[in-house]
Amino acid sequence: MKNKRVLSIGVLTILFFYSCSQQAVKEQGIVETEIAKTENAVLDAESFESDTTYSFELATTSPDTFKLVSHSWYFYYPFGKFTTPEELKSHYSNRFSFEEEISTSDSDPSGEVSLYRLKMDKGFVKFYHTTLEEGSENNDIALVSANITEPSIQMTNGLKVGMSRDEVKEVLFSKGEPASVRNYKNLQIATALDGVWVNLSFEKDRLNRIFIDTDYLLNKE
């Protein structure tokens, strides 16, 4: 009787470990499948080869916005790179006027920054400059925001309101545009290190608005 009990216990033990090993194999298979799906998703997200000037990558789109990520520093200075307020004003003053304001910097409440709002009939571009980092190598005029609905100003690459989708394609996607991008009303370009978001809105296949936002905690209007 005792031998039968020992035998039964042995059989149950073997069955238990066999069941556990089968479950482990099954779970490992599920994990490997999920890893493969994730790897494929990552590959799909980086599969678009665009003009190397901008080095775009695909990002997850929303229902009405096609999103791209750019590694190019161009989008930090899309209206030109200027070192001083005088240089900025000299470049644009023959066509636009400026409003100036002094604002406390949220990142450094003890200091102040100067904001320069370039005015147009229907929109604006806003810049800022600070001398808080006089010893730094880079103290250029920075872009704060932009809301443009007229063709009177263009980015330094020629992009401006009123262009057709084909003209926008020639500026941004000289090697061919991403598949299905024309199915979306809006195109958003985010800088790879965040900080700047360039939004292009289309209506009837024409660019009708350029809206740019940044992560600066300053007056954006």
Side-chain angles (χ1 to χ4, degrees):
M1 189 72 173
K2 182 177 180 181
N3 290 336
K4 289 183 178 180
R5 186 180 300 125
V6 171
L7 180 60
S8 298
I9 293 173
V11 171
L12 291 174
T13 302
I14 291 172
L15 290 174
F16 172 76
F17 282 109
Y18 176 77
S19 175
C20 289
S21 64
Q22 289 297 104
Q23 181 65 24
V25 169
K26 182 178 179 181
E27 290 177 353
Q28 182 178 355
I30 293 173
V31 170
E32 290 176 349
T33 300
E34 291 302 318
I35 290 174
K37 288 181 180 178
T38 301
E39 289 177 346
N40 288 335
V42 171
L43 290 174
D44 288 342
E46 298 177 352
S47 62
F48 173 64
E49 181 184 6
S50 66
D51 188 330
T52 53
T53 303
Y54 302 110
S55 302
F56 290 126
E57 290 182 2
L58 295 174
T60 303
T61 59
S62 64
D64 64 349
T65 303
F66 194 96
K67 298 181 180 180
L68 293 167
V69 176
S70 175
H71 295 269
S72 172
W73 278 91
Y74 168 81
F75 293 103
Y76 288 90
Y77 305 100
F79 299 99
K81 193 170 184 179
F82 307 98
T83 303
T84 64
E86 291 72 28
E87 186 179 356
L88 170 69
K89 292 178 181 180
S90 175
H91 183 80
Y92 284 111
S93 61
N94 62 327
R95 293 179 294 150
F96 306 102
S97 61
F98 281 88
E99 291 178 342
E100 298 183 25
E101 65 178 275
I102 301 298
S103 176
T104 301
S105 171
D106 289 347
S107 59
D108 186 354
S110 64
E112 292 181 337
V113 299
S114 299
L115 301 178
Y116 302 92
R117 188 177 187 271
L118 183 155
K119 299 193 301 178
M120 53 196 77
D121 290 339
K122 297 179 181 178
F124 65 88
V125 181
K126 198 161 193 176
F127 305 89
Y128 96 92
H129 183 251
T130 177
T131 56
L132 294 174
E133 301 176 1
E134 290 180 335
S136 70
E137 295 180 359
N138 185 2
N139 199 28
D140 297 319
I141 302 289
L143 179 67
V144 175
S145 59
N147 186 15
I148 304 168
T149 57
E150 61 179 77
S152 61
I153 189 171
Q154 65 181 26
M155 296 183 182
T156 55
N157 63 4
L159 201 65
K160 64 180 180 179
V161 167
M163 297 178 73
S164 67
R165 282 187 184 266
D166 286 336
E167 290 172 322
V168 172
K169 171 186 174 297
E170 290 302 314
V171 172
L172 297 178
F173 311 119
S174 65
K175 288 186 177 180
E177 61 191 353
S180 77
V181 65
R182 298 195 180 212
N183 297 335
Y184 293 81
K185 181 179 179 181
N186 305 305
L187 172 64
Q188 182 184 84
I189 301 168
T191 51
L193 299 178
D194 290 331
V196 180
W197 296 267
V198 179
N199 300 276
L200 309 177
S201 298
F202 294 87
E203 185 174 333
K204 296 180 180 180
D205 281 336
R206 289 273 171 187
L207 181 60
N208 72 333
R209 185 187 186 210
I210 299 174
F211 176 76
I212 302 177
D213 194 15
T214 67
D215 61 0
Y216 288 116
L217 300 179
L218 298 165
N219 179 16
K220 302 287 184 69
E221 296 298 324

